[in-house]
């Protein structure tokens, strides 16, 4: 347990203790602080990011560029431009994208993407055993883990009651509530206010 006093607390390998043994934590990975009686976490430009756990069966809106984690997989969501023309109305060349509204790509290193999967149906399910996109080798992903869907022109992630949860990368700062979980490196933190 790490108490957050009124002054900010940095977490990372430089903090020593069990943090010092986690090679996936940056030396100064994140800072926790209190603000108006609430706890806020700020990613300190860490290499591997700070992730918060989403609640099961509660859709959360995402936008192009959102990074999320299920099991040991880091995944980037990108909206697909529906074939917009250039500034002078010139059509762009490339493969047809009719019906596609997004894609997810596996992140395999800093600035490096692996396999990509186009999304063109309203409801895409990720899992280890069942769904549209499968990760059979990742034992930390549930049989049916997460759903990506579009509703009213917005894109949502929904954890489908997975055993190990689904996590979204913090972009900048995130206000935390009692009971929230934060994942940094191999460390999982539960927030108690």
């Amino acid at each position: 347990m790490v108490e957050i006093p009124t002054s900010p607390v940095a977490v990372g390998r430089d903090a020593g203790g069990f943090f010092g043994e986690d090679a996936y934590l940056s030396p100064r990975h994140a800072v926790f602080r209190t603000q108006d009686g609430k706890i806020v976490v700020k990613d300190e430009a860490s290499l591997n990011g700070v992730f918060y756990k989403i609640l099961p069966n509660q859709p959360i809106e995402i936008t192009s560029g959102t990074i999320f984690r299920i099991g040991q997989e880091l995944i980037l969501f990108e909206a697909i431009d529906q074939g917009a023309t250039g500034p002078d109305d010139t059509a762009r060349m490339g493969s047809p994208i009719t019906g596609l509204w997004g894609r997810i790509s596996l992140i395999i290193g800093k600035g490096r993407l692996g396999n990509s999967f186009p999304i063109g149906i309203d409801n895409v399910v990720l899992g280890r055993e069942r769904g549209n996109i499968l990760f059979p080798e990742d034992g930390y992903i549930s049989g049916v883990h997460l759903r990506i869907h579009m509703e009213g022109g917005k894109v949502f992630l929904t954890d489908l009651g997975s055993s190990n949860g689904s996590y979204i990368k913090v972009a900048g700062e995130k206000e935390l509530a009692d009971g929230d979980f934060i994942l940094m490196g191999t460390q999982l933190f539960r927030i108690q206010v």
Side-chain angles (χ1 to χ4, degrees):
M1 186 158 130
V2 177
E3 294 218 13
I4 310 293
T6 53
S7 59
V9 173
V11 174
R13 281 196 330 272
D14 284 351
F18 58 90
F19 299 120
E21 302 299 317
D22 190 340
Y24 296 104
L25 285 176
S26 294
R28 184 179 168 98
H29 199 95
V31 170
F32 289 85
R33 71 179 197 295
T34 56
Q35 177 178 305
D36 301 325
K38 300 189 177 182
I39 296 176
V40 175
V41 62
K42 179 179 185 239
D43 188 338
E44 291 285 293
S46 66
L47 179 62
N48 294 313
V50 176
F51 293 81
Y52 66 94
K53 186 176 184 181
I54 63 175
L55 296 174
N57 301 308
Q58 294 188 22
I60 184 162
E61 185 179 352
I62 62 170
T63 58
S64 190
T66 296
I67 296 173
F68 61 97
R69 180 174 172 176
I70 60 172
Q72 296 180 349
E73 314 302 324
L74 285 179
I75 302 170
L76 169 67
F77 168 76
E78 296 173 290
I80 292 180
D81 178 353
Q82 291 296 310
T85 59
D88 61 358
D89 286 334
T90 303
R92 296 186 190 277
M93 293 183 78
S95 299
I97 59 167
T98 305
L100 298 180
W101 51 266
R103 78 172 149 246
I104 59 171
S105 302
L106 299 179
I107 298 173
I108 58 173
K110 184 170 175 62
R112 295 177 48 212
L113 299 177
N115 292 344
S116 290
F117 305 91
I119 303 172
I121 57 177
D122 291 337
N123 183 20
V124 175
V125 175
L126 285 65
R128 191 179 72 246
E129 298 166 353
R130 295 180 309 279
N132 308 92
I133 301 171
L134 301 179
F135 301 92
E137 305 297 322
D138 191 332
Y140 295 100
I141 294 179
S142 293
V144 175
H145 196 103
L146 177 112
R147 179 169 68 118
I148 303 173
H149 56 288
M150 181 178 269
E151 190 176 306
K154 297 180 179 179
V155 180
F156 296 89
L157 283 184
T158 305
D159 181 275
L160 298 174
S162 67
S163 298
N164 294 314
S166 302
Y167 298 81
I168 294 180
K169 186 175 183 184
V170 171
E173 295 186 340
K174 168 105 176 116
E175 190 176 284
L176 305 171
D178 189 50
D180 281 352
F181 286 90
I182 294 292
L183 181 62
M184 297 183 294
T186 60
Q187 310 297 319
L188 182 63
F189 298 88
R190 183 175 183 273
I191 304 301
Q192 290 181 291
V193 180

